[in-house]
Amino acid sequence: MRSILQKPALRFVFAANVISMLGSGMNSAAVAWYILQATHSEIALGTFAVLQTIPAMLMLPFTGVIIDREDRRRLVMLLDAARAVIILIVSILAFMGKTKIWELYLMNTLVAAGFWMFWPTITALIQELTPGEEFVHANTFLLAGIQGGWLIAGSIVGFVYNRIGLGGVLLIDFSTYLVSFLCYFAVRKGRHVVPRPDELRADIEAAETGVERFMREMREGIQFLRNRRSLVFLGISWALFLAAMTTGVVVTPPLSDKVFHAGAVGYGWLNAGWGTGAFASALYAPWLIAGLGAKRSIAISMGLLTISMILAPLSPMLAIAVFLYGMMGSARGVSGVAMNTSIMEQVPQHFMGRVQNTFYFAGTAMQICLALLVGAVAQVSLVAGFSIIGLVYAVAFVSASWPVGAAAPVEVTTRE
């Protein structure tokens, strides 16, 4: 692990993720709470979750080619800058008392568009910067940084929201994007593009139009997955996990408000529980994955998420629910490290963006249906809403446990 922190580029990447996630975590919690208080409707929260997936459905089939073709550091910087501007505009509207629900929907739709491109880009960038034998440690630091920021956000957002309101929270998020942008700027100099294999001959590419080349590269990403059953089942688990995790925003605010009557502070405690578990998982995720293997680690994590999600709304007190959220956060941390590492080991660098985007597309398609279903069901029974999400985690457990042959790791090259 120490060797990872000795690389300045990776230090800047991890610092950027801690800082930006602090703002993003506060933004997500504050906006969800504001919408619930303004509408008193789980269906509105379900709509909020669905709208975040629309740009993903439109973009993901195409952005994987861009991620594999362009400088990933510059893409991340562009995404941070664009999201910062959008959030600043809505923050100003909030301070002026002119914020409308549709404006929050639009802001989060546009910010989500950046997120769906950001995450596969940053994963591909870390694969590019990290030696193959350090993938587990690099992913552990990445998830620890993200969840560390989420932990801080969850710990303070309920208290901060009551003092500075939505506008102040969004202004903090804007500031963290600026700092993140500067961190990525310091990662390296110049334009760096992942080299492609020799079989992509220049004479073939020269005969293609830009559209033909783009479409060919998209097809290559799909074709890469054929006959790679281990990778496909991993992708199914990842897509189910992603859909279930992002739908959690539909049921968590009502859990604090309607079950425990704890308001924004209780919502902050639930987020803090999740963040604490996820951050703490960085201490044992490498050891657990080394001992059990990535496949078993993912399966156990999905099982733990299933049980904890179903039990959370049945908790007799807030403290027990916070503990269960901590267990879910821990499972999220371990599974995230194991999944990212497995993908890095099985996918060459020049396919990383396209393969990830295939999994993200499947996950966001599931999220649209899941968020609408959970929102409608939770309006009648919050316990049933939690149970539906738990069942999705259970299917991810089955996919992760399904017996398939292990895929041989690919050779990767790294760039300093």
Side-chain angles (χ1 to χ4, degrees), residues 7 14 40 45-46 98 147 213 226 264 283-284 287 309 314 318 357 408:
K7 296 181 180 296
F14 299 144
H40 303 286
L45 289 174
K98 297 181 178 180
Q147 298 304 332
R213 181 186 173 192
R226 292 182 178 176
L283 300 175
Y284 49 81
W287 169 80
M309 180 61 68
L314 303 175
L318 177 61
N357 275 26

Side-chain angles (χ1 to χ4, degrees), residues 8 42 76 92 102 104-105 153 159 181 194 264 284 314 323 330 405 407:
E42 285 82 356
V76 170
I92 294 172
W102 73 264
L104 296 178
Y105 283 158
F159 306 98
F181 177 92
V194 172
Y284 49 81
L314 303 175
F323 172 78
S330 176

Side-chain angles (χ1 to χ4, degrees), residues 46-263:
T47 303
F48 172 66
V50 168
L51 288 175
Q52 295 181 19
T53 67
I54 291 177
M57 298 300 295
L58 299 175
M59 294 170 55
L60 285 173
F62 308 102
T63 54
V65 175
I66 298 173
I67 293 168
D68 289 336
R69 184 187 291 180
E70 301 299 330
D71 185 329
R72 290 149 177 178
R73 178 188 69 107
R74 292 185 177 183
L75 281 176
V76 170
M77 292 169 60
L78 177 63
L79 293 169
D80 274 359
R83 288 182 288 178
V85 171
I86 293 167
I87 291 167
L88 178 62
I89 292 172
V90 179
S91 173
I92 294 172
L93 291 174
F95 276 120
M96 295 171 62
K98 297 181 178 180
T99 310
K100 298 179 176 61
I101 296 297
W102 73 264
E103 292 169 344
L104 296 178
Y105 283 158
L106 178 61
M107 177 192 74
N108 277 274
T109 299
L110 296 174
V111 170
F115 167 80
W116 293 118
M117 190 169 181
F118 169 85
W119 187 251
T121 305
I122 193 61
T123 305
L125 177 61
I126 288 178
Q127 183 199 35
E128 185 183 338
L129 296 170
T130 307
E133 66 275 9
E134 296 287 354
F135 282 161
V136 172
H137 294 148
N139 280 299
T140 300
F141 275 115
L142 172 65
L143 267 296
I146 290 172
Q147 298 304 332
W150 191 272
L151 167 60
I152 298 171
S155 300
I156 66 175
V157 66
F159 306 98
V160 171
Y161 181 87
N162 284 339
R163 290 180 175 272
I164 64 177
L166 180 63
V169 171
L170 294 180
L171 187 60
I172 292 174
D173 192 21
F174 163 76
S175 302
T176 61
Y177 274 117
L178 291 185
V179 177
S180 175
F181 177 92
L182 294 175
C183 287
Y184 285 115
F185 181 79
V187 165
R188 63 190 180 192
K189 296 180 180 179
R191 183 172 183 266
H192 296 257
V193 179
V194 172
R196 292 171 174 268
D198 294 337
E199 58 264 25
L200 296 179
R201 299 191 304 274
D203 57 333
I204 296 177
E205 293 190 358
E208 294 176 325
T209 65
V211 174
E212 288 172 340
R213 181 186 173 192
F214 196 93
M215 297 305 295
R216 173 175 58 78
E217 291 178 358
M218 285 180 60
R219 290 193 300 271
E220 288 173 350
I222 301 296
Q223 291 168 355
F224 175 80
L225 291 172
R226 292 182 178 176
N227 301 320
R228 289 178 169 85
R229 294 183 63 205
S230 175
L231 186 57
V232 169
F233 274 92
L234 173 63
I236 292 171
S237 294
W238 176 252
L240 290 164
F241 162 74
L242 179 67
M245 184 180 68
T246 50
T247 305
V249 71
V250 178
V251 293
T252 301
L255 180 64
S256 173
D257 190 41
K258 297 183 177 181
V259 175
F260 299 114
H261 308 289

